[in-house]
Amino acid sequence: MNRLHEESSLYLRQHASNPVHWQPWDQAALDSARASGRPILLSIGYSACHWCHVMAHESFEDEATAEMMNRLFVNIKVDREERPDLDRIYQLSHQLLTGRGGGWPLTVFLDPAELVPFFAGTYFPRDRRYGMPAFRDVLTAIDQWFRDHSDKRAEQAAQLRAALESIQQGKAAADGIADEQSARQLFRRASEAALARFDPVQGGFGGAPRFPQAPLLEAVALLANEEAAEGLGQALQFTLERMARSGLRDHLDGGFFRYCVDEGWTIPHFEKMLYDNAMLLPLYAEAAARWDNPMLAAAATGIAEWLESAMRQPSGGYAASIDADADGEEGGFHVWSVDEIDGCLAGPVLGLFKRAYGLDQPPNFEGHSWHLQRRADTGELCRESGRNEAEVEAALAEGRLALLEKRRSRVHPTLDDKQLTSWNALLAGGFVRAARALQREDWLDRAEEVFAFIRRELWRNGGLLAVYNGGEARFAAYLDDYAWLLDALLDYLAARWDPSWLEFAVELAEALLTRFEDPNKGGFFFSDAAVDVPITRSMLHQDDATPSGNGIASMALNRLGRLLGNAHYTAAAERCLARGLPQLQESPLGHATLLRALHDAVQPPPKLVLAGTDPQALQLIKRRVAARYRLDCYLLGEKTDGLPGMLSEFCTERPVTAWLCRGTQCLPPVHSEEELDHLMSDAEK
């Protein structure tokens, strides 16, 4: 029977009425497979995935297909957002078995005894098409091969297991992290590679399909400060502008879609993911401040408003995703016919809006509808209409609001309201950085609410849980949960000091080291040491759509170690970098977050610590310093006794005292803004 009815995952419950006898990944399902001797058909996906819905409709809702699946296999469904550990090992298995990258839905056939896959694919159609076999033909062939080739199956399983274990071990760790000269050469190579991949016509760093590539953009933003990176800053600014004008962005509510299918960023797959928007928010806000760019600031504000209106939950956490499909149709919620536009808008607003968003051009969605993208900028519209900038922007805002109201009456795509610790941690850090860049105290408040939600609902007995859904916290958390949350907390402490959050950060760091570090070779496994995972524990240094947990862990531990003067943390960060350095040297852009971690290790930004008895003067200095210099600034206030590590040494009875430090070495303190300016100027020489 189908056992998914009582699961909290929306994705699993979406398959609870299938005639397939789906089971969740649990001991009962694994025991059933081993007892029966039948192979496991493992299907991994997520609720916002369009092709997951297609395969479900074509095959899993089909009685004949379900009968075959139930007779020949033990069928297990996994939500990849709840169990990224399973998804990662079986995606890698797919790559080894097929020689191609994977995706979702992931369809893997496992030996029931060892849980090692012997065949893998992604989407299979019900009938033969797209050059792909029919799913029922695949099932028949897999069953026959499994029964007839037990010897070959065991041999292949041993080879695959050995290959997976070898990949997880990686190359031998470097003797240490690179010296500054070697690191600079690596940064130069990465800058040159990024510029070589830059598309000067459409923006972005690579071809279709067009993903935001936020971890890569973060590295580009950092490398653009390097002397050898001429042109990289302009490439980043152009890319962010192009993305903000394109079909990747929802121009009515401000959120960004997961990716566009074409070179020109025109038509997206219409799902919206929390993690994309969490990472794009600070990128846009910091770029807006860097170049004083109103378009980029508007994009950042739009993301924050969408998060608030569409994703924020009563718990204080944020939902995972919004589906690509609505009422069984992909994109139907978002696209427009000319009759709908004419019915919503009138007068000068209609003409301006059509010109601005490409509605005066041929339909761009399947030959009959329009997906909005910004085609004419405000300056062009002013010249053509004879109106000033304020009038044009007001007319466009009126048009967007009218279409948004009309869209609210449509059948909405499904919201997956489960709250993931990792993605919420990314968002909290994004809110903090965006708040610092654009001076938005309310975004700092949002970040603190996320921290409070995680500590209240997902922190249990000295460890994190990964998923909060239906009032229940489940699954031991993963490396990303700990690393991203620790990093976000350190950002928050630099923006708004609070000793209670420092205490939580220290607890997180200790748990991270205990649960995830490889004590022999350095680096961090993806899964908790206490969790039983199939085949082998993963250790990944490269980025995917989100930043590498190892890269973020290294940066966060280095920052915490420098803040507290604690070599325990900095040594772990160095071991992690040394473990990943050979891979980083082979492919700098594929390991963009680890590249940032190396930059932070060999060229740590200055740290300014403020303490004293005059809170107003201290706040004024902090605001001015933060606006002028790239550094971490911690305003400790009057009481520093009882703080951990070297923080307790920053004590003073003067109104204002400032210590400028690099790493754990601090210059003699100064006591006035003028002295601090001299100190900062000397430090920048």
Side-chain angles (χ1 to χ4, degrees):
M1 68 169 57
N2 190 313
R3 291 204 291 122
L4 302 184
H5 293 85
E6 296 182 1
E7 290 297 309
S8 59
S9 161
L10 172 63
Y11 175 66
L12 298 188
R13 285 187 281 106
Q14 286 172 338
H15 293 82
S17 60
N18 293 167
V20 178
H21 294 170
W22 290 120
Q23 301 188 59
W25 181 284
D26 61 12
Q27 197 59 50
L30 301 181
D31 289 345
S32 171
R34 286 164 180 152
S36 70
R38 288 178 291 163
I40 292 170
L41 192 166
L42 174 64
S43 177
I44 301 178
Y46 60 102
S47 68
C49 166
H50 170 69
W51 286 104
C52 299
H53 299 323
V54 173
M55 191 167 178
H57 176 67
E58 291 180 346
S59 294
F60 304 150
E61 296 171 8
D62 178 70
E63 293 284 351
T65 304
E67 187 280 328
M68 183 178 290
M69 292 173 65
N70 296 336
R71 176 164 41 86
L72 301 178
F73 304 97
V74 172
N75 303 290
I76 295 180
K77 261 286 176 196
V78 165
D79 182 338
R80 69 107 174 176
E81 294 167 356
E82 287 191 339
R83 293 301 305 267
D85 53 342
L86 298 176
D87 183 56
R88 290 192 178 207
I89 196 66
Y90 290 122
Q91 291 284 356
L92 182 56
S93 299
H94 173 279
Q95 185 175 348
L96 291 171
L97 288 168
T98 67
R100 303 186 303 273
W104 301 280
L106 181 67
T107 307
V108 190
F109 296 86
L110 312 181
D111 183 290
E114 301 294 331
L115 305 180
V116 176
F118 58 89
F119 184 83
T122 52
Y123 162 77
F124 290 101
R126 177 172 53 192
D127 304 308
R128 180 180 293 273
R129 64 177 184 274
Y130 311 133
M132 302 174 67
F135 187 48
R136 275 184 279 179
D137 292 343
V138 171
L139 298 178
T140 300
I142 291 295
D143 172 62
Q144 186 72 40
W145 190 91
F146 183 81
R147 287 187 285 109
D148 293 349
H149 295 86
S150 58
D151 293 343
K152 185 177 291 187
R153 195 172 73 237
E155 180 183 351
Q156 178 181 296
Q159 292 172 346
L160 183 62
R161 179 185 291 277
L164 290 167
E165 290 174 348
S166 175
I167 289 171
Q168 301 312 329
Q169 289 297 315
K171 295 180 177 293
D175 292 336
I177 64 172
D179 58 42
E180 187 166 350
Q181 182 178 355
S182 299
R184 283 192 176 277
Q185 293 173 351
L186 185 58
F187 303 150
R188 185 179 300 109
R189 277 206 296 126
S191 299
E192 292 168 353
L195 283 170
R197 286 171 55 174
F198 172 61
D199 182 342
V201 177
Q202 302 290 354
F205 297 86
R210 294 277 191 171
F211 287 85
Q213 297 181 299
L216 175 59
L217 296 185
E218 288 280 8
V220 168
L222 177 65
L223 292 171
N225 296 318
E226 295 288 311
E227 292 180 7
E230 184 177 355
L232 204 52
Q234 294 92 320
L236 175 63
Q237 184 175 195
F238 179 72
T239 294
L240 292 172
E241 289 177 347
R242 185 73 182 85
M243 287 163 52
R245 293 169 62 95
S246 77
L248 185 68
R249 183 184 179 203
D250 187 331
H251 291 272
L252 300 185
D253 68 22
F256 279 74
F257 299 105
R258 181 167 167 250
Y259 69 97
C260 285
V261 300
D262 59 303
E263 291 278 352
W265 304 91
T266 305
I267 301 300
H269 267 311
F270 289 90
E271 66 264 39
K272 291 177 185 169
M273 313 302 293
L274 180 64
Y275 63 79
D276 283 322
N277 289 276
M279 293 184 293
L280 289 172
L281 173 60
L283 274 166
Y284 272 100
E286 289 172 351
R290 181 176 188 168
W291 290 297
D292 191 22
N293 188 316
M295 178 195 294
L296 303 184
T301 302
I303 293 170
E305 291 175 348
W306 171 76
L307 289 163
E308 182 78 11
S309 63
M311 306 299 279
R312 190 179 178 201
Q313 300 299 299
S315 65
Y318 288 72
S321 64
I322 296 178
D323 208 326
D325 298 5
D327 202 21
E329 180 182 359
E330 185 187 16
F333 181 74
H334 296 95
V335 300
W336 299 88
S337 70
V338 67
D339 290 341
E340 288 175 312
I341 298 292
D342 290 343
C344 288
L345 309 180
V349 172
L350 177 62
L352 279 171
F353 198 89
K354 283 186 172 182
R355 177 79 177 93
Y357 290 100
L359 300 168
D360 58 346
Q361 300 178 23
N364 61 21
F365 184 75
E366 298 184 353
H368 58 75
S369 299
W370 283 264
H371 175 56
L372 301 181
Q373 55 185 323
R374 190 69 184 264
R375 289 296 195 183
D377 64 29
T378 302
E380 291 177 86
L381 297 173
C382 289
R383 290 190 295 272
E384 293 170 2
S385 68
R387 292 176 172 81
N388 62 38
E389 183 175 327
E391 292 171 331
V392 166
E393 288 299 331
L396 296 181
E398 181 182 337
R400 289 192 297 270
L401 182 60
L403 293 189
L404 189 61
E405 286 296 323
K406 173 67 175 178
R407 197 170 75 175
R408 289 193 178 110
S409 66
R410 296 176 174 176
V411 175
H412 283 240
T414 302
L415 174 76
D416 187 346
D417 63 0
K418 73 168 173 285
Q419 292 139 75
L420 301 171
T421 302
S422 57
W423 296 1
N424 273 270
L426 274 184
L427 177 59
F431 269 135
V432 173
R433 289 172 50 196
R436 292 172 67 179
L438 298 181
Q439 305 301 306
R440 291 289 300 262
E441 286 291 318
D442 56 324
W443 292 352
L444 284 178
D445 295 337
R446 297 288 85 77
E448 187 168 24
E449 288 173 2
V450 173
F451 293 140
F453 154 68
I454 292 173
R455 186 160 62 177
R456 182 181 66 250
E457 303 292 353
L458 292 150
W459 180 249
R460 297 281 188 278
N461 302 317
L464 285 169
L465 296 172
V467 182
Y468 182 77
N469 203 353
E472 179 185 8
R474 299 182 66 194
F475 303 111
Y478 310 99
L479 172 62
D480 293 352
D481 299 273
Y482 285 84
W484 298 350
L485 183 57
L486 177 60
D487 191 55
L489 283 166
L490 292 168
D491 280 330
Y492 183 81
L493 289 167
R496 184 187 281 174
W497 183 258
D498 185 332
S500 68
W501 291 121
L502 175 64
E503 181 181 349
F504 188 36
V506 170
E507 291 181 90
L508 278 172
E510 291 296 331
L512 189 158
L513 292 172
T514 300
R515 295 167 181 267
F516 298 95
E517 189 180 21
D518 182 338
N520 299 315
K521 298 182 179 180
F524 300 97
F525 293 107
F526 183 71
S527 57
D528 192 312
V531 175
D532 185 25
V533 296
I535 308 175
T536 185
R537 292 173 80 192
S538 297
M539 181 181 289
L540 301 173
H541 292 92
Q542 70 269 30
D543 301 305
D544 48 31
T546 54
S548 152
N550 269 283
I552 296 294
S554 179
M555 274 192 290
L557 289 167
N558 252 331
R559 291 176 70 192
L560 183 63
R562 293 194 296 259
L563 178 63
L564 302 181
N566 189 328
H568 175 54
Y569 300 132
T570 56
E574 183 169 339
R575 289 192 296 270
C576 177
L577 278 172
R579 181 78 179 266
L581 187 58
Q583 298 174 62
L584 173 60
Q585 290 169 329
E586 280 189 359
S587 175
L589 296 186
H591 299 78
T593 304
L594 204 64
L595 187 78
R596 291 170 52 213
L598 178 64
H599 192 284
D600 178 79
V602 299
Q603 300 178 40
K607 174 183 69 183
L608 187 67
V609 178
L610 300 174
T613 61
D614 188 339
Q616 289 185 331
L618 290 168
Q619 283 286 358
L620 183 61
I621 289 175
K622 179 175 170 55
R623 283 196 295 270
R624 289 177 178 173
V625 166
R628 294 173 60 184
Y629 304 102
R630 176 182 168 264
L631 51 76
D632 282 333
C633 181
Y634 300 94
L635 198 167
L636 307 187
E638 184 174 359
K639 294 183 178 180
T640 61
D641 56 309
L643 292 178
M646 65 185 290
L647 288 175
S648 62
E649 300 173 13
F650 296 113
C651 54
T652 180
E653 295 181 358
R654 297 194 181 215
V656 170
T657 302
W659 292 264
L660 183 64
C661 312
R662 277 196 182 273
T664 57
Q665 303 299 312
C666 300
L667 297 174
V670 297
H671 306 286
S672 70
E673 191 171 345
E674 182 180 8
E675 290 177 302
L676 181 58
D677 283 338
H678 286 304
L679 199 62
M680 296 298 300
S681 298
D682 290 342
E684 291 193 323
K685 291 179 182 177

